[in-house]
Amino acid sequence: MTFLIYLLPFLADVCVGIFLFTMPVIASNAGASPLYIAGYPVIFSICYLGTSVLLSRLRVDRSTSFRILRVTIAVIMAVAAAAFVFPLPHLFFIYAFVLGIVCALYFVSFQVLMDAVSKDQPLYCNVSNYNISWSLGLGVGPFISGSVYRLGASVPFLFILLCGAGVLVLLAVVKKSRLKEIRSGCDKPDRTRVTPNMLILGWALILIGASSGTFLRVMFPDHGLKLGLGEFTAGALVLVFLGVQAAVSFGMRYWYTFIEKHRLLLPVTIIAVGAFVLIGFARSLPLLVPAFILAGVFGALAFFYAIYYSLADTKHSLRNVSINESLVGISGILAPFGMGGIATAVNYSAAFTAVAVFVGVIFLAAFLYYILRPAMKKPAHR
């Protein structure tokens, strides 16, 4: 049952991945500027963030969640059908607007089902499972798009219809099943003591992880096309990035205490800063592939600790999650718009260098605070 539940965000994120890869590629081939292309994820993120804030005040029961999930996936399928018939860059802003709203509704409703199967599992396992699910979804989507784009610019949107149909079938199966957790390899109890400086580090990690990841996923396709890589190669590189992130996310359920104890976040982030610079200046796959792999390792660690620290502080977990979601939304707005503006005014090399500087400065400040103020009188959670 756990596997079926986590297929729901996976398939939805495949849809999102297809949209946020195919729309920029079509616009890029039509001659749009990086700043114009950045408008798609910016509008999506604004609508997603605004809807999530409004929904945070509401309680959704299991029965209602199923209805919302069915309606929202139907709307996503309708938007895909419209994009297939009218794959026009200026209409993509409307599609992004609608998608931002319905995706927020979808994922908030999914949390109700996830809570039903995950409440008895250790937190580190739940965080690992969820990061695997969305990472693979956002990685597979661009790979599908890049693979079939040569058959027609709007062909990738047809695969959203298939994923949507899969979600509807899954919802029917899950609704008739008993939401009972099946434990597997997650029997070690949570023993992390969360202190305020760990929360600060976690919020910094989600800010830089979401900002760099969003820019890489959404803006690299345009950069890749300008390098002459082609749609398939650009989509494959995004899959490498998020596939590695998913694989390392799985390993984090075994390694997270070791990495934390030895403070390996520092060297991993330093290496990632170099990887982002390399992505901006590299012109060949032998350089780009390892850079994307290193970026994926960093993304896995950043999102794991950001989410884990927030939820482990059980007394303030709702506040912490709200801050996390706000930072993800802000990242989805500022990163494409700000770095896309740099790419338009200068070039992508300057934009990826700016991403690297942003990641390095924010992380260094938060990590120094984490090191210099490691203990408060009272931990947030034991």
Side-chain angles (χ1 to χ4, degrees):
M1 182 54 63
T2 301
F3 176 74
L4 293 180
I5 290 295
Y6 282 102
L7 275 179
L8 292 173
F10 166 75
L11 290 173
D13 278 317
V14 169
C15 297
V16 174
I18 291 175
F19 272 118
L20 293 183
F21 181 90
T22 307
M23 294 192 301
V25 167
I26 291 176
S28 178
N29 285 330
S33 70
L35 188 59
Y36 185 95
I37 293 171
Y40 304 145
V42 167
I43 289 178
F44 176 89
S45 297
I46 290 174
C47 294
Y48 187 95
L49 176 60
T51 305
S52 296
V53 170
L54 293 175
L55 291 174
S56 65
R57 300 176 179 272
L58 303 177
R59 286 185 175 273
V60 179
D61 58 31
R62 181 184 169 189
S63 177
T64 303
S65 70
F66 276 106
R67 289 195 290 270
I68 294 176
L69 288 168
R70 284 195 294 267
V71 170
T72 52
I73 200 64
V75 174
I76 290 173
M77 294 170 71
V79 174
F84 176 76
V85 178
F86 304 106
L88 305 174
H90 62 279
L91 292 181
F92 291 161
F93 292 106
I94 298 175
Y95 303 154
F97 177 86
V98 176
L99 286 171
I101 296 172
V102 296
C103 283
L105 286 164
Y106 182 94
F107 287 108
V108 168
S109 300
F110 165 74
Q111 293 293 329
V112 177
L113 302 185
M114 187 178 74
D115 290 343
V117 300
S118 64
K119 60 183 179 181
D120 295 326
Q121 276 211 75
L123 177 58
Y124 67 86
C125 194
N126 293 331
V127 174
S128 173
N129 287 339
Y130 187 63
N131 285 347
I132 291 169
S133 178
W134 70 260
S135 296
L136 282 178
L138 291 179
V140 169
F143 182 72
I144 291 174
S145 299
S147 299
V148 303
Y149 189 88
R150 66 186 66 184
L151 301 177
S154 59
V155 170
F157 297 120
L158 293 177
F159 284 83
I160 295 176
L161 300 179
L162 294 177
C163 290
V167 170
L168 293 174
V169 171
L170 273 174
L171 287 173
V173 172
V174 171
K175 189 173 184 180
K176 294 180 180 179
S177 304
R178 296 182 62 185
L179 295 181
K180 184 178 180 181
E181 176 56 32
I182 300 174
R183 302 172 69 87
S184 57
C186 290
D187 295 326
K188 183 175 64 174
D190 289 296
R191 294 179 178 174
T192 296
R193 185 183 67 176
V194 178
T195 53
N197 61 315
M198 297 166 78
L199 292 174
I200 296 295
L201 177 62
W203 290 329
L205 287 172
I206 205 164
L207 176 64
I208 59 180
S211 296
S212 58
T214 299
F215 185 76
L216 192 57
R217 286 189 294 104
V218 179
M219 302 305 296
F220 180 79
D222 178 49
H223 179 47
L225 293 180
K226 287 179 168 58
L227 294 178
L229 295 178
E231 295 84 6
F232 173 78
T233 303
L237 284 171
V238 174
L239 177 59
V240 167
F241 163 54
L242 288 164
V244 169
Q245 182 169 296
V248 176
S249 294
F250 176 80
M252 287 300 290
R253 67 183 70 192
Y254 307 109
W255 310 327
Y256 76 100
T257 53
F258 177 85
I259 291 174
E260 183 181 50
K261 178 180 179 180
H262 295 280
R263 295 176 177 173
L264 298 182
L265 261 173
L266 178 60
V268 168
T269 305
I270 292 173
I271 293 171
V273 167
F276 290 126
V277 174
L278 181 59
I279 290 171
F281 286 90
R283 298 293 183 268
S284 62
L285 287 178
L287 293 176
L288 286 170
V289 170
F292 273 78
I293 290 173
L294 295 171
V297 173
F298 165 72
L301 270 61
F303 279 104
F304 181 89
Y305 287 112
I307 298 172
Y308 185 76
Y309 288 157
S310 293
L311 295 178
D313 177 17
T314 54
K315 185 177 180 180
H316 305 101
S317 60
L318 291 178
R319 178 207 66 182
N320 297 340
V321 170
S322 176
I323 294 173
N324 282 356
E325 290 299 316
S326 298
L327 289 172
V328 170
I330 292 170
S331 299
I333 297 168
L334 296 181
F337 194 71
M339 304 308 172
I342 294 175
T344 299
V346 188
N347 53 40
Y348 271 109
S349 296
F352 276 103
T353 300
V355 170
V357 171
F358 176 76
V359 169
V361 169
I362 297 296
F363 176 81
L364 183 60
F367 193 75
L368 286 175
Y369 181 83
Y370 172 74
I371 296 297
L372 297 177
R373 301 194 59 174
M376 300 294 178
K377 291 183 179 179
K378 291 184 180 181
H381 173 69
R382 184 180 293 273

